Amino acid sequence: MRKENVLMNRRKTLVLPAVTALLAPVLVACGTSQGGSGGGGGGDGIVVGTTDQFTADQDAPAPFDPAYAYDSGTWNVLRQTLQTLTRVPRGGGQPVPEAASQCGFTDRASESYHCTLREGLTFSDGKPLTARDVKFSIERSLTINSDNGAASLLTNIDTIEVKNDSEIVFHLKAPDATFPYKLATPVAGIVSSEKYEPKKLRDGFEVDGSGPYTLRAETQDDRVTRVVFTRNEHYKGDIKLKNDKVELRSFGDADAMGQALEAGDISMMTRTMSPEQIKDLNDHPRKDIELREVPALEIRYLGFNTQDPSVKDKAVRQAMAAVIDREKITHTVYGATTEPLYSLIPATVAGHTNAFFNTYGEPNTSAAASLLRGAGIKTPVKLTLNYTTDHYGSGTAKEFAALRDQLNASKLFDVSVKGTGWNAFRSAQKHGEYAVYGLGWVPDFPDPDNFVAPFLDKGNFLNTPYVNTTARTGLIPASRRAADRTAASGAFEKLQKIVADDVPVLPLWQGKQYIAHRTELNGTEWALNSSSDLQLWELGRGNA
């Protein structure tokens, strides 16, 4: 047995401690800092690079509407510009008031949640923000209920009671100790009824809110070329800004983004750096550039349309789980930037179990053949693995080539791979056009519930036809009753076992998270939290 496998076997039995709980053609940065708040100031902005792409088309007409947006890139734009009642602190942990001055459950059952707004709240245009705007915004997301959006996070709301201009109460259909986290997500972002229609998405790239920054997006051919965030002088909230302006630039690939950092055209690059870049910066340090690893909870997985004839029989999905060698994929494609994952819940989140390893063990072609034979499945099983070409970085194509080769080497499968741009990919996936597809997941909030419910609950992110009644009506609601989240570990253990047995999704790996920045930039340790929330207000120049 290889040394790597010996180490892996030891690690597979370990449950690690719980985690407490991104644009355009290259443009040259303007000048140097002339002072201002936290060293970022004057008229000069900090320039941050990303490979996230923002396009408005028939598949994604309203990418920056909080009722539609549901991916890390767009949420990271909205988090700078929209306020939410609560927010997760920069270092993680329980949500704290943001647009609210105080929030809390008013009953022991976690079914009634009361918030009082801060005094003097206004939108960025100076118009007052009241509890009625909060009610309008959340009900709007629920009413539109976009099949791309995150309204499912809010569907447990029964009624919203506005007591006066500053007080609002959410009455829930069932207990939910995670509700304060859900109010901290952009789908609950507060917008004005004067700028947003109650039943219609706001097409294009305009965003109007009360968050720490205002937004100006520059576009070319329906694609954002850069986003400029400027300090909102009307902002009142919990966030302390360390700069006056930040520009977010999109690059076509990680190499172009890295070249801009080397040239000093940008000050920091975030998602998604390539494994090769990370290794190069780690092995060959630059004098003026620092590579920083920050906490991460991102996972990657294969999803299945369980009604598609090719994978409808769970024996096919189970056989894939028995054949795929996660360790080989992580080692050969991603190097030290990922770890194999044997559950939907990452190993660094409380409640994690190695459910898939416990069920299938080491990769085993004979076991996979037995599963298919027992179900009367003729081999080789012909499948297409679909992946997105422009959303998760350059390693994705290599990963899917490796998955194809592993499955085909077993002689049990006849697999091809197909790459598609993100907007068309996501539209096809959620409409059931793919039998097997690859996606990533960055949690909406750092709780084990958010690694299970988005895949198994009603109205889930995948729009999957898979239904497990025990999970949906029993275990998930039961887990949310526990105000002490460690008390829900039993329910999460059973949920992970269900996923490993039925394989509606197949977890592959858990990623690490890196940024690289020019050394004159400070606050970078807080630039991304474990949920990959971009916190641009933390960045500054000069003395921290």
Side-chain angles (χ1 to χ4, degrees), residues 23-30 45-49 216 225-229 245-250 265-266 268 536:
L23 294 156
V26 177
L27 304 174
V28 177
C30 301
I46 294 166
V47 187
V48 175
R216 176 172 58 84
T225 57
R226 67 174 180 171
V227 176
V228 178
F229 298 104
K245 182 188 292 184
V246 182
E247 177 187 324
L248 194 60
R249 294 187 193 166
S250 177
D265 294 336
I266 64 175
M268 186 176 83
L536 295 177

Side-chain angles (χ1 to χ4, degrees), residues 105-112 175-177 480-483:
F105 285 106
T106 58
D107 63 334
R108 293 184 178 181
S110 300
E111 287 185 305
S112 182
D176 186 2
R480 291 171 175 165
R481 295 189 189 105

Side-chain angles (χ1 to χ4, degrees), residues 310-350:
S310 62
V311 294
K312 187 172 184 178
D313 194 313
K314 71 177 183 180
V316 175
R317 309 191 300 268
Q318 291 172 331
M320 292 176 69
V323 167
I324 290 173
D325 187 338
R326 295 166 175 82
E327 183 183 355
K328 189 173 183 180
I329 290 172
T330 58
H331 178 73
T332 60
V333 178
Y334 294 104
T337 65
T338 64
E339 296 282 352
L341 182 62
Y342 297 87
S343 170
L344 277 175
I345 300 176
T348 45
V349 173

Side-chain angles (χ1 to χ4, degrees), residues 431-491:
H431 290 108
E433 297 177 23
Y434 300 146
V436 191
Y437 50 87
L439 279 171
W441 182 251
V442 176
D444 306 320
F445 50 89
D447 185 278
D449 175 89
N450 199 240
F451 290 96
V452 175
F455 307 97
L456 303 182
D457 210 356
K458 185 178 180 180
N460 59 74
F461 167 74
L462 296 179
N463 195 29
T464 177
Y466 171 81
V467 176
N468 184 289
T469 303
T470 299
R472 185 172 291 184
T473 64
L475 293 170
I476 291 174
S479 71
R480 291 171 175 165
R481 295 189 189 105
D484 177 1
R485 302 307 289 147
T486 59
S489 59

